Amino acid sequence: MKENIHFKGGRKNQMKNISYSIEFRRRMFVLRRLLPFDSPSLLLKRFKNLLTSFMAWKYGIHIGVAKPCTLQIEPVRGCNLNCITCRAGELEKKFLSFEDFKRILNFFQEAFIVFLNYGGEPFLSRDILDMVKYASYERKMIVHLFSNFTILPEPRDVINSGIYEIHASIDTFNPEKFSKIRINGDLNKVTSNLKKLVEERRKQGKVLPIISINVVTMKETIEDAEDIIENATKIGVDRVEFSRAFLRYGINPEINLPDKRDIGQYIRLKQKYSDRIEVLLHNFEFGDKHTPGFCHYAYFMGMISIEGYFFPCCMMYAFFDPNSRFGNVFEDTSEILERRRDFIMNFRKTKPSPCLSCHLYYRP
């Protein structure tokens, strides 16, 4: 006889049970990528590499040569917008080939997280969803992708591509401010595309990809923070992420950085909306919860430009420092890991030149 299942406590408890079920399924997806038990050799590689990286970061103990656990790869340089936060619209458009992308992932098999963005809009590439599929299904990686959402492939294809989380870059829902920040952008189009993706995921009954809104924080948009969260809940995205802006060697002097007094606003909003939507704070060296100690990016991450240059992290401070390159993954892979090892072994002793201006080097 078929058993009827009843939830006690009414609709509120039903919603909690659904939320727990969704979160469980997402965490199982992450676990299967982190520890691919169906591929014992890959499982062993990733476990040893993760342990080596953790011991170096947490305790300063170096037990071997580690590869990055997280990769940030630049699939496109150049953008269809010219936002004041990066000015990528002024860059000549270049595209990473699918074959070169596969070469990168084949060399860094130990990595289990990959971010597909940097100096441009990923959806400008005709190969981007093939890259996502290869990373997710062939290389068993957790794939993140950031987009300005002014262009979007067929929503069904995006949902089925294997993306773990897709981040929509929206700094304000105020049309006037949006047009000043996201130059050449159309807020109505962005919002429409975001709604289409949320609706397609709902139609398919899937829990992935996680759909979030990523906000570059600046003093000029602090007053918009709550409105962003309200719009996010109405659209139906999963979370809102406030990321601290940083000055990029004078390219964006229009931006004024938030300070210690401003962070309190974000923390209050995080608490206020905790039962409605997840609110995350990234790269703030003060306030909220963070892991103290030396920067985890240096120990766990690697960034690869469209030309194949390998950097210690994704921060612009490193990207514009000529001394920060470990080499080119298409030319001298034999020396790259040795240079990265030397960088990590000296990281605690002397602040590296790419980190001199960065606020994340050490958190007390």
Side-chain angles (χ1 to χ4, degrees):
M1 184 175 70
K2 186 175 181 180
E3 182 180 4
N4 292 319
I5 299 176
H6 300 279
F7 294 106
K8 295 181 179 180
R11 180 172 176 79
K12 189 173 182 179
N13 273 1
Q14 289 183 31
M15 295 305 295
K16 281 186 177 181
N17 281 321
I18 292 172
S19 177
Y20 292 149
S21 174
I22 291 172
E23 188 61 28
F24 175 77
R25 290 161 66 186
R26 288 173 177 168
R27 289 184 179 183
M28 288 302 297
F29 177 90
V30 170
L31 183 62
R32 288 193 295 268
R33 293 300 196 269
L34 172 61
L35 301 172
F37 292 103
D38 57 341
S39 180
S41 62
L42 183 59
L43 169 63
L44 181 60
K45 283 182 181 179
R46 287 187 176 171
F47 180 78
K48 289 173 62 178
N49 191 67
L50 180 60
L51 178 62
T52 301
S53 302
F54 178 81
M55 294 298 289
W57 168 66
K58 188 69 175 178
Y59 304 108
I61 299 174
H62 303 275
I63 56 177
V65 178
K67 290 184 180 181
C69 300
T70 299
L71 291 175
Q72 182 136 356
I73 300 175
E74 183 180 38
V76 177
R77 180 168 300 166
C79 191
N80 59 327
L81 304 187
N82 194 29
C83 308
I84 64 171
T85 49
C86 74
R87 295 300 187 189
E90 299 173 2
L91 302 175
E92 178 187 356
K93 289 186 177 61
K94 297 180 180 179
F95 300 90
L96 182 70
S97 73
F98 184 41
E99 291 305 314
D100 282 344
F101 177 76
K102 290 194 291 186
R103 286 173 62 190
I104 293 171
L105 293 198
N106 292 344
F107 180 67
F108 293 105
Q109 293 183 31
E110 290 80 357
F112 52 87
I113 300 173
V114 61
F115 288 84
L116 295 181
N117 74 291
Y118 198 65
E121 167 53 46
F123 283 135
L124 289 176
S125 170
R126 285 178 286 185
D127 295 323
I128 193 65
L129 291 186
D130 287 331
M131 292 179 182
V132 172
K133 291 174 184 176
Y134 183 80
S136 181
Y137 297 124
E138 296 296 326
R139 285 299 170 198
K140 303 181 187 300
M141 302 178 77
I142 300 165
V143 183
H144 290 254
L145 186 146
F146 288 73
S147 171
N148 60 40
F149 265 74
T150 56
I151 51 178
L152 186 73
E154 175 61 41
R156 171 175 286 275
D157 295 336
V158 176
I159 295 298
N160 293 323
S161 65
I163 295 177
Y164 173 71
E165 183 167 4
I166 183 167
H167 309 252
S169 298
I170 304 173
D171 307 310
T172 178
F173 279 89
N174 178 307
E176 184 178 352
K177 283 187 179 180
F178 184 91
S179 63
K180 290 180 179 179
I181 296 171
R182 302 276 168 180
I183 298 172
N184 299 328
D186 183 337
L187 180 59
N188 290 329
K189 192 171 186 179
V190 169
T191 304
S192 174
N193 283 337
L194 190 55
K195 289 178 178 177
K196 287 177 183 177
L197 198 65
V198 170
E199 175 60 18
E200 179 61 33
R201 189 186 65 177
R202 186 199 64 78
K203 282 169 55 179
Q204 293 193 36
K206 295 191 173 182
V207 300
L208 292 175
I210 295 171
I211 303 172
S212 60
I213 291 176
N214 185 271
V215 184
V216 177
T217 61
M218 54 191 98
K219 280 185 175 290
E220 289 77 4
T221 58
I222 290 175
E223 63 187 10
D224 301 291
E226 185 160 14
D227 182 58
I228 291 171
I229 297 173
E230 287 285 354
N231 274 280
T233 58
K234 292 174 184 176
I235 293 171
V237 303
D238 301 291
R239 58 176 64 140
V240 178
E241 304 164 338
F242 292 98
S243 299
R244 185 182 188 272
F246 54 89
L247 296 180
R248 199 180 85 173
Y249 290 79
I251 290 180
N252 46 5
E254 308 99 309
I255 297 175
N256 292 296
L257 301 181
D259 55 32
K260 286 187 178 181
R261 291 169 297 178
D262 300 324
I263 186 64
Q265 167 75 353
Y266 298 114
I267 294 174
R268 285 191 293 273
L269 290 173
K270 179 175 180 176
Q271 295 168 344
K272 179 178 177 179
Y273 288 88
S274 60
D275 61 340
R276 293 176 58 187
I277 191 171
E278 186 177 13
V279 176
L280 302 177
L281 307 180
H282 293 309
N283 293 342
F284 287 89
E285 75 274 30
F286 39 71
D288 201 30
K289 295 180 180 178
H290 62 256
T291 304
F294 288 94
C295 178
H296 63 278
Y297 289 152
Y299 294 90
F300 293 97
M301 189 175 197
M303 185 269 166
I304 301 167
S305 72
I306 203 160
E307 300 92 352
Y309 290 113
F310 185 35
F311 297 88
C313 72
C314 63
M315 286 294 177
M316 289 293 184
Y317 307 113
F319 187 79
F320 282 95
D321 189 314
N323 300 315
S324 67
R325 296 177 181 178
F326 295 143
N328 191 296
V329 296
F330 302 136
E331 298 172 3
D332 51 1
T333 54
S334 60
E335 298 181 15
I336 281 177
L337 297 182
E338 295 298 323
R339 292 173 185 158
R340 182 174 186 266
R341 182 200 62 184
D342 293 342
F343 174 84
I344 290 173
M345 290 186 72
N346 293 314
F347 192 76
R348 293 168 179 256
K349 301 173 186 177
T350 305
K351 193 173 185 179
S353 62
C355 309
L356 291 176
S357 302
C358 187
H359 58 286
L360 300 178
Y361 173 70
Y362 185 79
R363 286 172 161 176

